[in-house]
Amino acid sequence: MLIRTPKLSELKENQLTAQSVYSNRRNILKGLGYLGAGALLTGNKANAFNLFGTADKSPFKTRDLSFSQLTSEIDKQILTPDQKVISHNNFYEFGTGKSDPVEASQNFKVDPWTLKIDGLVEEPITLGYEDLYKAFDLEERIYRLRCVEAWSMVVPWIGFPLQKLLQKARPLSSAKYVAFETLYDPKQMPGQKSRFSGGGIDYPYVEGLRLDEASHPLTLMSVGLYGKTLPPQNGAPIRLVVPWKYGFKSIKSVVSIRLTDKMPPTTWNRLAPSEYGFYANVNPQVDHPRWSQGSERLITTGNLFNRNRVATKMFNGYEEVAPLYKDMDLTRYI
């Protein structure tokens, strides 16, 4: 099922990615005979999505992806340029600075890789590196990414719905939550060597969702962005993307997905429970104790410290998830 993502038509022209980037993407799609949401891209046609020459000039190694579906919103979205997406990251396993991940992760090895899905399931699953790209049809989803630090991007992710993976594992009726865990490998991830170098975090990084959140069609397991496999600083080879929650919920470099009947611990809630809740839904009505969440800085082609501020929307604009929380006081649950 294709998911329609919110339009960004309410943003002003000077708050958007350069029109040349947007037009180039449209022209390439038209050149491929793009016909809409059902269009197929196979083999070398995936190269056409490499709009910025990253295949030859990138410091990291990628491989082209073939994917079967494109969102029908592709012509209507304005994207954050790929060089911003791959150079401005929070991934404390590689350092606490925004540029640390791209600088410290380029020798990160993703093959071989093992992702285990177990716990309260009838059919435990183990996926290897190649399985991440072959086990499910891959889709492109253009999502807004809203960081708890009050900046945002618009990213064309490639992946598959988490619900498809969960359905294959067949959760037991007693399963209520899904726990995630990042790879623990201090030799490759220098931020994991000590709490000092890794921002005070007790590694490995862990996250969690309610089962109904994990099963929502918007929840994505991403293996790529901008038509290429994920670079290491963005969570290679596979990460979670939950677009209506703050970015720290979208755990990177996942090695374990475990279904449980108890609410699992989450890294930032464990580190600072008064600042980071389990749910972490984007909510302009609930400020962070140290800054407002009422607006955000949209990262565009300009300077990373631009003043392109826009109003933050409830659930980051993905209002279709509101029924998940109909019985909750959203001013209390952070």
Side-chain angles (χ1 to χ4, degrees):
M1 178 174 64
L2 290 172
I3 305 302
R4 295 183 65 84
T5 53
K7 299 178 182 179
L8 301 183
S9 57
E10 72 277 8
L11 300 183
K12 297 179 180 179
E13 184 177 356
N14 64 358
Q15 297 169 328
L16 303 177
T17 299
Q19 186 67 24
S20 59
V21 175
Y22 170 67
S23 298
N24 190 30
R25 187 173 176 84
R26 288 190 70 185
N27 291 336
I28 288 174
L29 285 174
K30 289 179 180 179
L32 289 172
Y34 172 71
L35 299 176
L40 298 178
L41 289 182
T42 58
N44 290 333
K45 289 185 177 180
N47 286 326
F49 284 83
N50 182 18
L51 306 185
F52 305 90
T54 55
D56 297 326
K57 300 177 182 179
S58 170
F60 55 84
K61 294 181 180 180
T62 63
R63 74 176 194 182
D64 296 325
L65 294 174
S66 297
F67 48 97
S68 64
Q69 294 177 312
L70 295 173
T71 169
S72 59
E73 293 294 291
I74 200 167
D75 275 346
K76 302 175 184 177
Q77 293 284 0
I78 306 297
L79 308 179
T80 299
D82 70 334
Q83 292 301 321
K84 297 292 191 205
V85 176
I86 66 177
S87 64
H88 186 82
N89 304 107
N90 284 329
F91 200 176
Y92 283 14
E93 281 82 348
F94 295 106
T96 57
K98 292 293 185 289
S99 63
D100 288 347
V102 68
E103 296 171 359
S105 67
Q106 297 313 309
N107 293 320
F108 184 63
K109 296 179 180 179
V110 298
D111 187 7
W113 193 268
T114 300
L115 172 61
K116 293 184 177 181
I117 302 89
D118 58 14
L120 298 178
V121 298
E122 293 185 23
E123 299 289 341
I125 299 171
T126 298
L127 298 178
Y129 179 74
E130 292 296 329
D131 298 323
L132 303 179
Y133 308 98
K134 296 179 179 179
F136 304 95
D137 290 338
L138 299 181
E139 308 172 20
E140 182 170 75
R141 302 277 188 90
I142 300 176
Y143 282 163
R144 290 175 57 90
L145 172 67
R146 172 57 155 85
C147 182
V148 73
E149 297 171 346
W151 55 263
S152 62
M153 295 180 173
V154 182
V155 183
W157 303 103
I158 297 170
F160 56 87
L162 175 57
Q163 67 174 185
K164 291 187 176 181
L165 183 56
L166 298 178
Q167 288 168 354
K168 190 172 182 179
R170 301 172 62 189
L172 299 176
S173 60
S174 55
K176 305 299 181 185
Y177 295 91
V178 183
F180 304 84
E181 186 173 310
T182 291
L183 175 71
Y184 181 70
D185 188 347
K187 291 183 178 180
Q188 291 200 82
M189 295 174 152
Q192 294 180 338
K193 292 181 179 180
S194 72
R195 291 176 64 89
F196 176 78
S197 62
I201 290 174
D202 182 16
Y203 292 102
Y205 195 101
V206 292
E207 256 304 336
L209 297 171
R210 284 192 335 215
L211 181 56
D212 58 347
E213 296 176 311
S215 301
H216 194 279
L218 282 174
T219 306
L220 191 72
M221 295 304 298
S222 175
V223 295
L225 55 79
Y226 265 105
K228 298 291 178 180
T229 46
L230 284 173
Q233 65 268 27
N234 291 95
I238 188 166
R239 63 171 290 168
L240 179 70
V241 181
V242 192
W244 71 91
K245 294 180 178 288
Y246 291 119
F248 67 84
K249 294 291 290 185
S250 294
I251 185 172
K252 303 178 180 74
S253 300
V254 180
V255 294
S256 174
I257 299 175
R258 187 173 182 84
L259 280 81
T260 176
D261 58 350
K262 297 179 177 61
M263 181 180 286
T266 62
T267 288
W268 283 99
N269 176 250
R270 188 164 56 187
L271 183 65
S274 64
E275 298 185 3
Y276 306 101
F278 174 83
Y279 286 96
N281 293 321
V282 176
N283 189 343
Q285 302 174 30
V286 179
D287 290 334
H288 187 281
R290 288 178 280 136
W291 57 80
S292 169
Q293 295 291 15
S295 66
E296 64 206 58
R297 176 170 52 87
L298 178 65
I299 293 180
T300 66
T301 55
N303 188 287
L304 287 176
F305 299 98
N306 62 57
R307 296 182 179 180
N308 292 338
R309 298 200 72 87
V310 296
T312 293
K313 294 185 176 182
M314 187 66 196
F315 300 121
N316 203 22
Y318 297 89
E319 294 290 347
E320 57 265 54
V321 304
L324 295 174
Y325 312 103
K326 62 182 180 180
D327 297 323
M328 294 175 56
D329 180 355
L330 295 179
T331 64
R332 291 183 56 245
Y333 291 89
I334 60 174

